């Protein structure tokens, strides 16, 4: 009896922590969040390109020492992430299996398959907010744009560098985010 009650309590806790509202056809949360300011400078970002993760880094808060962690082909993590920026300050975070990155197809960049988010650019500074899966954690990462590189860092001093990746326009044109 105690085991059944414990099991039911655990299921209740897990279910109550998960978002049960509107989702995309692929199951990703679509929730209204407060968008970032709309007066962003779109000349610094290419909305017809992808920005692929190049490497992670961590910064020691005391010594300011930086450690880099590259996402290379030998890395065992089976996915690669891409940002796709849209008009009106919207951004999609696409998490794609590495095997599919060798032959990118149009269907991989359907916004229904992206984690939703918003971005704001002021001068060369960028702020990106994306929404998580189950618990609706809303990131609020800040960073900089330099030529074809976006460097964002979170409040835990973990940074991610994204590099602009040229892809055929046919993969990205005509898509509109559903948030």
């Amino acid at each position: 009896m105690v085991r059944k009650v414990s099991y039911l309590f655990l299921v209740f806790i897990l279910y109550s922590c998960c978002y049960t509202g509107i989702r995309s056809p692929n199951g990703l949360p679509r929730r209204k969040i407060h968008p970032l300011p709309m007066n962003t400078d779109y000349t610094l970002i290419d909305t017809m390109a992808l920005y692929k993760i190049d490497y992670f880094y961590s910064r020691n808060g005391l010594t300011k020492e930086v450690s880099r962690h590259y996402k290379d082909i030998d890395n065992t993590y089976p996915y690669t992430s891409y940002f796709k920026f849209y008009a009106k300050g919207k951004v999609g975070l696409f998490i794609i299996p590495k095997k599919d990155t060798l032959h990118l197809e149009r269907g991989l960049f359907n916004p229904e398959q992206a984690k939703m988010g918003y971005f704001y650019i002021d001068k060369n500074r960028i702020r990106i907010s994306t929404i998580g899966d189950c618990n609706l954690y809303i990131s609020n990462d800040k960073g900089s744009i330099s030529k074809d590189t976006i460097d964002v860092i979170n409040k835990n001093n973990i940074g991610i560098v994204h590099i602009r990746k040229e892809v055929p326009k046919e993969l990205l044109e005509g898509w509109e985010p559903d948030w």
Side-chain angles (χ1 to χ4, degrees), residues 78-82 94-101 104 108-109:
Y79 298 96
T80 297
S81 298
Y82 295 89
F94 294 90
I95 301 171
I96 298 174
K98 279 188 181 176
K99 64 179 178 56
D100 292 338
T101 61
L104 294 175
L108 294 172
F109 300 103

Side-chain angles (χ1 to χ4, degrees), residues 9-146:
F9 181 71
L10 179 63
V11 168
F12 174 75
I13 293 297
L14 290 174
Y15 182 75
S16 65
C17 293
C18 286
Y19 175 70
T20 58
I22 299 171
R23 294 184 176 273
S24 75
N26 293 355
L28 293 168
R30 295 298 186 250
R31 176 182 166 230
K32 291 261 186 213
I33 62 174
H34 182 67
L36 300 175
M38 295 302 289
N39 58 339
T40 195
D41 181 3
Y42 289 104
T43 62
L44 295 175
I45 201 86
D46 187 351
T47 58
M48 286 306 293
L50 296 173
Y51 290 82
K52 180 181 178 183
I53 286 183
D54 190 37
Y55 65 88
F56 293 89
Y57 66 91
S58 56
R59 182 178 296 144
N60 185 312
L62 298 175
T63 65
K64 306 299 181 203
E65 182 179 309
V66 174
S67 301
R68 292 183 182 210
H69 314 282
Y70 286 91
K71 282 189 69 88
D72 58 15
I73 293 174
D74 297 331
N75 188 322
T76 58
Y77 189 67
Y79 298 96
T80 297
S81 298
Y82 295 89
F83 275 132
K84 166 65 173 91
F85 294 89
Y86 301 95
K88 299 181 183 174
K90 296 179 181 182
V91 63
L93 175 60
F94 294 90
I95 301 171
I96 298 174
K98 279 188 181 176
K99 64 179 178 56
D100 292 338
T101 61
L102 297 174
H103 306 287
L104 294 175
E105 297 176 2
R106 179 171 167 74
L108 294 172
F109 300 103
N110 181 340
E112 293 176 351
Q113 297 184 28
K115 288 187 177 189
M116 67 178 284
Y118 294 92
F119 74 99
Y120 171 72
I121 300 172
D122 183 25
K123 298 185 178 145
N124 71 332
R125 308 297 299 162
I126 188 166
R127 190 168 138 204
I128 299 173
S129 293
T130 56
I131 192 165
D133 288 335
C134 184
N135 60 6
L136 292 183
Y137 168 77
I138 299 173
S139 71
N140 192 14
D141 300 336
K142 298 177 181 176
S144 61
I145 300 174
S146 174

